[in-house]
Amino acid sequence: MDRSLVILGVVTFCVCASAGDTHATSGEEGILQLNTDNFSRALRENRQLLVHFFIPMTADVHKVSEIFQEAAAQLQGSEIKFAVVDAVKEKDLAKELNATEPPFIRLYLSGDKHNPVHCPVPKTSSSILTWLKRRQGSPVDLMTDTVQIDSDLLVLGFFKELNDAYIQVFYEAAVDLPDLTFALTKNEDVVSKYGLVNDDVVVVLKKSRLMQAYRMRPEVSKEELLLFITVFQMDPVTEYSGQTASQILSSPILNHALLFISKTSPDFETIYAAFNRTAAAFRLKILFVLVNVDESRNGRLLEYFRVRDFEAPLIRIVNLTNHPKMQSEPVPDDWDQTPVKQLVGSTLERVAFHPNKTVFVLFYLPYSSESRAVFPLWEELAEAFKDQEDIVIARMDASANDINMSMLRQYPSLCLFPALYSEREDESRRKYMETVRREEEAKKPKQNKLEL
Ligand SMILES: *[C@@H]1O[C@H](CO)[C@@H](O)[C@H](O)[C@H]1NC(C)=O
Ligand SMILES: *[C@@H]1O[C@H](CO)[C@@H](O)[C@H](O)[C@H]1NC(C)=O
Ligand SMILES: *[C@@H]1O[C@H](CO)[C@@H](O)[C@H](O)[C@H]1NC(C)=O
Ligand SMILES: *[C@@H]1O[C@H](CO)[C@@H](O)[C@H](O)[C@H]1NC(C)=O
Ligand SMILES: *[C@@H]1O[C@H](CO)[C@@H](O)[C@H](O)[C@H]1NC(C)=O
Ligand SMILES: *[C@@H]1O[C@H](CO)[C@@H](O)[C@H](O)[C@H]1NC(C)=O
């Protein structure tokens, strides 16, 4: 699974369910609706074609589509033509253009379909406008002698000799971060009050407070500078919410430390302060995120990271470049002692695919009331069948164990695994036997030792 999918998976909880056909209103002034048949013509006819490949029903498509339309309205009559492609309906076209993955807004220049310029994911329509403007502009536009330092967030480059190479890198970063204000100066007075006079530096200022200074070195790349700016424009710890989700998920820092905690718990202040201190020490390496488990809208996130609210406070370190692994809770000691057997990822297959037993499993989410509502019924059922050896009533926490069964999308979910009886040699049975064999084998050396 690549990162974009992980991202979609996590943010879908804040989906506008009303996404529908966001671009369908073909009355959108001046926006071309393109498909396989007429994309090439549009490309030929427009030297600058800004295309939004949208995937209906995805997390943020509604918002981005609106932003895109606003930008198009504001640039009507300019030489930049706006167009949309439904990447699902026109999936052959999207595939041919390699536009099946983000970024989904791309600028095609001079009819070249192979080398579009990628537009950063816009926060507002002015993100798009600023991006287009900075692309065509030059560092001179950022030059100033009297900087309005009191803007909310300012990225200021101070270069003594107006070093060309540094300015170039600085400007490229400004193009890629259209939501931030950038300024460029060689006036020492502007930075001297921060004690920065003798160096080429880039500083991040928040309400005129110095967040951090970055000393330029000859080998500094745009990526390094982007990393510095995007990290230090954020606080050391960011609370996860609908507003911060995209900032967190688009951060170039891929290692995240997530603190799941109840903000109303008595030790919140102490834990948060410690977390904040640690965060400051790992600024460019790990992104520190606080997840309030009291917030019901974070349910999906808890589910995604397989955290139950009663486990909080708890810290999860995740690496977003990695695949989510098949995960299992440890097998509870008494898992088969209670009437309802408690299954986990590593025992599910072994128990459910037992050839001689019929197994009925309740897959549940511990924090969902719909799930919990089934528990009494399940106890009753287990009680009723407790003397029948060939019937097993079981349950499994679907939030804490990965389940390799694509049919399970909604919880609670009930699955019946009928006994297969010995003759039927099928895939499940083969797997089951293999598991048993492996276990037997694993036991052998141990037994030998005991016998000695
Ligand atoms: C491309 O073709 C589609 C489907 O026929 C049509 O709806 C759309 O308006 C066309 N776009 C242009 C720019 O001709
Ligand atoms: C898409 O990617 C493939 C493989 O990298 C490449 O051969 C092809 O030319 C690309 N298509 C476009 C339109 O750039
Ligand atoms: C977190 O740490 C920063 C400094 O790294 C400090 O400015 C801020 O006040 C701290 N926040 C809290 C809530 O402790
Ligand atoms: C995160 O994963 C990526 C890719 O697997 C790897 O290159 C990187 O070193 C990992 N980071 C850490 C801190 O493990
Ligand atoms: C299932 O029942 C058959 C026939 O009674 C028996 O031979 C087999 O060993 C049983 N399998 C298991 C795993 O108990
Ligand atoms: C999930 O099951 C499918 C089909 O049985 C199998 O191909 C796939 O490898 C399994 N995935 C994992 C992670 O076990």
Side-chain angles (χ1 to χ4, degrees):
M1 185 186 284
D2 72 19
R3 193 168 172 234
S4 56
L5 287 179
V6 174
I7 290 170
L8 291 179
V10 177
V11 275
T12 34
F13 72 92
C14 58
V15 170
C16 306
S18 66
D21 217 352
T22 41
H23 275 301
T25 37
S26 53
E28 299 315 335
E29 309 295 293
I31 299 187
L32 303 176
Q33 321 274 322
L34 300 179
N35 62 16
T36 313
D37 297 330
N38 53 32
F39 186 86
S40 296
R41 198 186 68 213
L43 204 57
R44 270 197 314 275
E45 288 173 357
N46 298 282
R47 292 182 59 77
Q48 298 191 56
L49 188 65
L50 189 67
V51 185
H52 181 203
F53 297 89
F54 68 99
I55 301 181
M57 306 302 285
T58 47
D60 53 357
V61 72
H62 190 69
K63 191 173 140 232
V64 175
S65 293
E66 258 174 30
I67 289 170
F68 193 76
Q69 284 163 16
E70 275 168 40
Q74 290 174 59
L75 286 186
Q76 259 208 59
S78 78
E79 66 267 41
I80 298 165
K81 197 74 194 164
F82 283 63
V84 294
V85 171
D86 181 331
V88 172
K89 241 197 262 163
E90 306 299 332
K91 66 172 180 298
D92 293 340
L93 177 63
K95 216 181 220 160
E96 190 208 325
L97 296 169
N98 297 330
T100 51
E101 294 198 356
F104 288 118
I105 300 183
R106 298 173 181 198
L107 179 64
Y108 289 88
L109 298 167
S110 308
D112 176 5
K113 72 172 176 181
H114 295 288
N115 301 295
V117 193
H118 296 171
C119 175
V121 177
K123 277 208 190 84
T124 63
S125 60
S126 55
S127 312
I128 297 180
L129 302 182
T130 306
W131 178 71
L132 289 168
K133 192 163 129 225
R134 284 193 186 155
R135 267 202 70 256
Q136 294 188 323
S138 78
V140 180
D141 305 336
L142 302 178
M143 216 68 92
T144 178
D145 262 354
T146 52
V147 180
Q148 280 299 104
I149 303 239
D150 55 353
S151 69
D152 249 11
L153 197 62
L154 175 72
V155 184
L156 177 66
F158 169 67
F159 305 113
K160 274 180 312 187
E161 310 295 335
L162 284 180
N163 177 314
D164 275 350
Y166 290 169
I167 286 177
Q168 200 50 44
V169 173
F170 183 78
Y171 192 73
E172 284 169 17
V175 173
D176 280 7
L177 296 172
D179 294 313
L180 297 180
T181 310
F182 280 72
L184 197 53
T185 186
K186 60 173 181 172
N187 181 347
E188 284 195 13
D189 298 343
V190 177
V191 287
S192 62
K193 61 171 162 177
Y194 299 108
L196 306 161
V197 272
N198 291 317
D199 239 324
D200 293 310
V201 286
V202 173
V203 295
V204 176
L205 302 171
K206 213 178 234 180
K207 296 203 162 65
S208 11
R209 260 182 9 139
L210 175 67
M211 291 292 110
Q212 192 75 18
Y214 190 81
R215 296 197 190 286
M216 293 296 265
R217 290 165 287 108
E219 69 277 16
V220 167
S221 66
K222 177 182 81 172
E223 283 69 30
E224 279 172 83
L225 194 55
L226 284 173
L227 180 68
F228 163 76
I229 297 166
T230 46
V231 165
F232 284 97
Q233 65 162 321
M234 295 169 81
D235 292 329
V237 176
T238 306
E239 180 171 349
Y240 190 89
S241 71
Q243 280 85 51
T244 57
S246 68
Q247 191 179 31
I248 291 168
L249 294 164
S250 63
S251 167
I253 306 272
L254 297 181
N255 288 296
H256 294 190
L258 298 118
L259 169 64
F260 293 88
I261 192 167
S262 160
K263 280 177 122 179
T264 54
S265 80
D267 44 9
F268 172 73
E269 294 298 336
T270 320
I271 294 175
Y272 181 48
F275 193 63
N276 190 40
R277 272 197 305 279
T278 316
F282 287 92
R283 271 326 268 283
L284 289 159
K285 301 196 175 63
I286 302 176
L287 186 70
F288 282 65
V289 178
L290 184 149
V291 182
N292 184 7
V293 297
D294 298 335
E295 176 56 70
S296 60
R297 275 174 298 189
N298 290 341
R300 266 297 304 253
L301 193 71
L302 265 63
E303 183 189 338
Y304 186 82
F305 287 110
R306 303 174 190 88
V307 171
R308 276 87 56 83
D309 53 1
F310 59 79
E311 293 176 305
L314 170 141
I315 293 181
R316 274 280 155 84
I317 310 279
V318 296
N319 184 336
L320 290 188
T321 48
N322 284 350
H323 294 213
K325 292 201 185 69
M326 286 298 278
Q327 190 172 347
S328 171
E329 289 182 294
V331 182
D333 280 338
D334 60 348
W335 73 273
D336 59 356
Q337 300 306 306
T338 46
V340 175
K341 314 299 180 224
Q342 184 70 44
L343 302 183
V344 295
S346 57
T347 52
L348 172 68
E349 200 171 292
R350 195 151 48 95
V351 174
F353 292 151
H354 192 295
N356 297 350
K357 291 188 180 180
T358 290
V359 185
F360 205 6
V361 186
L362 161 68
F363 295 94
Y364 68 95
L365 299 176
Y367 46 79
S368 122
S369 50
E370 292 97 293
S371 281
R372 283 197 303 266
V374 188
F375 286 3
L377 170 70
W378 225 239
E379 296 289 341
E380 213 176 298
L381 199 63
E383 196 59 37
F385 284 106
K386 75 170 190 288
D387 296 327
Q388 236 174 296
E389 285 214 346
D390 57 346
I391 294 180
V392 177
I393 307 298
R395 66 179 204 184
M396 177 162 143
D397 179 344
S399 72
N401 296 282
D402 250 322
I403 307 165
N404 186 15
M405 271 183 264
S406 51
M407 75 262 194
L408 290 178
R409 282 283 149 75
Q410 282 179 341
Y411 302 100
S413 194
L414 314 177
C415 279
L416 185 69
F417 300 85
L420 296 161
Y421 300 109
S422 42
E423 291 82 19
R424 282 176 58 189
E425 181 78 28
D426 66 7
E427 182 63 10
S428 330
R429 182 175 151 70
R430 195 189 54 70
K431 267 192 192 158
Y432 171 73
M433 294 312 288
E434 218 169 67
T435 314
V436 172
R437 246 199 316 279
R438 264 205 305 275
E439 281 195 355
E440 295 296 320
E441 233 138 62
K443 276 186 207 145
K444 267 181 201 154
K446 233 185 195 168
Q447 283 168 349
N448 288 346
K449 256 186 216 155
L450 285 175
E451 280 161 16
L452 281 176

